[in-house]
Amino acid sequence: MTAATTGRWRGWRAAAQAALYGPGGFYRRPEGPAGHFRTSVHASPLFAGAVARLLCRVDAALGRPARLDFVDMAAGRGELVAGVLAALPAEVAARTRGYAVEVAGRPDGLDERIAWLPEPPRSVTGLLFANEWLDNVPVDVVEVDAAGVPRRVLVDTDGAERLGEPVAGDQAAWLARWWPLPAEEGLRAEIGLPRDAAWASAVAALDRGLAVAVDYAHTRDARPPFGTLTGYREGRETRPVPDGSCDITAHVALDACALPGARLLSQREALRALGVTGARPPLALATTDPPAYVRALARAGEAAELTAPGGLGDFGWLVQPVGIPGPPAPGAGGTGAVGALLVDVADDEEQ
């Protein structure tokens, strides 16, 4: 039976939703995301340490409340939230509640202080952190046909595609504003409306604090002409097939997600401002304390990977304050309490 006669054609958003999060879906598998791809969280504990420092800065901006929340969106197996709690100073950790938001079941042996939830808690005071979450919020894909008309791409469970109806309504409006396509056959885009809504909903969980989304990203002035939809299986990029066997992901239009008062910056900028520089230890340390030199050299290598141009350092950070001072532009001088996140980033980049 051919794909055209199976009767299972549907848009990529519906197909990916079922393949990733439905019964037996990719993100419900026991090995978790770490079994198929490596994120900044898995690359080095330096990442969790940097997020812990950011949480401490948010804590200061909030006036050190009696209860400080840390919400880890798309928590995988809880690696980030566990690492953040472990890296906090004792006084801050004693006031911190950790939340892991994930569709999969709670893993065995997770720190009992961490609440495991299928959706974000309400009335959060603290930091909501979404590392590589929005790229897995499924979206529809569109392609320009021979007449120059953008049409929704339909897909079967074996990954075969065909063009469906012309884009209309809210999807057409989003496309015109955020990802306008020339009338050239074969050009593609991913319509980010579901991600915009998901991010707005997550930010709405905050009473006061900071929301941060970290992801593969692009902005309106540099959209990829053929889109970014792809798959990952066992550490390798692969053809996206919506059958539950692989991750299905697409880069995020973070500028479209941003709410008033937000800032976009690169991971390289953000982590440098949080003390992850990749600077090599002084060579003299190799003589005075060889084990310390080896440890410092290893940390420098991990930091370099997290901040590398062309790699993890190019990830986008969407920083969204709620009820606290927002971050200034790099090098702008002046510091809101959370603005300290970005102070002198521009100067650091020049050194």
Side-chain angles (χ1 to χ4, degrees):
M1 181 178 292
T2 66
T5 61
T6 61
R8 295 177 295 189
W9 294 102
R10 50 187 170 170
W12 266 108
R13 180 185 178 191
Q17 183 70 34
L20 296 177
Y21 305 113
F26 179 82
Y27 277 102
R28 297 186 185 275
R29 292 169 60 162
E31 71 272 19
H36 295 271
F37 51 85
R38 191 164 179 257
T39 72
S40 297
V41 178
H42 309 123
S44 169
L46 293 176
F47 189 79
V51 176
R53 286 191 290 278
L54 177 57
L55 179 58
C56 289
R57 295 184 184 185
V58 172
D59 181 41
L62 293 167
R64 296 181 172 82
R67 189 201 77 210
L68 179 68
D69 300 319
F70 177 71
V71 181
D72 180 11
M73 297 293 297
R77 294 301 176 263
E79 300 95 335
L80 178 60
V81 62
V84 168
L85 291 179
L88 289 173
E91 186 278 326
V92 179
R95 293 184 286 109
T96 300
R97 294 184 183 180
Y99 299 91
V101 181
E102 179 57 66
V103 298
R106 183 187 182 98
D108 294 335
L110 187 69
D111 190 325
E112 292 182 356
R113 294 176 296 170
I114 300 169
W116 195 266
L117 304 173
E119 58 186 32
R122 298 289 100 182
S123 301
V124 171
T125 299
L127 175 62
L128 182 146
F129 202 87
N131 185 60
E132 295 195 44
W133 168 49
L134 288 174
D135 69 299
N136 287 125
V137 173
V139 292
D140 275 319
V141 178
V142 301
E143 182 176 319
V144 179
D145 68 11
V149 177
R151 292 180 175 271
R152 206 158 63 105
V153 177
L154 306 181
V155 62
D156 200 356
T157 52
D158 63 1
E161 294 182 339
R162 72 181 186 188
L163 296 187
E165 70 280 7
V167 179
D170 290 345
Q171 289 193 332
W174 188 95
L175 197 66
R177 179 180 181 186
W178 293 110
W179 199 330
L181 289 172
E184 181 180 332
E185 185 177 8
L187 296 182
R188 288 169 69 119
E190 293 115 17
I191 297 181
L193 273 172
R195 293 167 174 179
D196 299 354
W199 181 242
S201 178
V203 172
L206 280 167
D207 281 350
R208 293 178 66 226
L210 194 70
V212 178
V214 181
D215 234 311
Y216 300 95
H218 46 67
T219 54
R220 193 181 186 280
D221 59 349
R223 303 286 190 222
F226 302 104
T228 61
L229 184 73
T230 191
Y232 285 93
R233 182 187 295 113
E234 297 177 353
R236 296 178 181 273
E237 189 170 10
T238 186
R239 174 171 168 260
V241 178
D243 61 0
S245 69
C246 67
D247 184 28
I248 298 171
T249 179
H251 294 195
V252 183
L254 279 180
D255 51 345
C257 295
L259 300 169
R263 260 218 69 212
L264 292 174
L265 63 155
S266 71
Q267 176 156 297
R268 184 167 182 252
E269 292 174 313
L271 290 185
R272 284 192 167 194
L274 290 166
V276 180
T277 65
R280 294 174 64 89
L283 190 57
L285 187 63
T287 301
T288 60
D289 192 344
Y293 177 77
V294 171
R295 291 192 298 270
L297 196 61
R299 288 195 299 271
E302 293 172 2
E305 180 183 2
L306 289 171
T307 58
L312 294 175
D314 289 344
F315 270 50
W317 279 48
L318 171 57
V319 181
Q320 184 78 55
V322 177
I324 56 176
T335 64
V338 176
L341 167 65
L342 303 177
V343 168
D344 295 330
V345 169
D347 294 338
D348 289 346
E349 288 289 296
E350 294 171 1
Q351 294 175 2

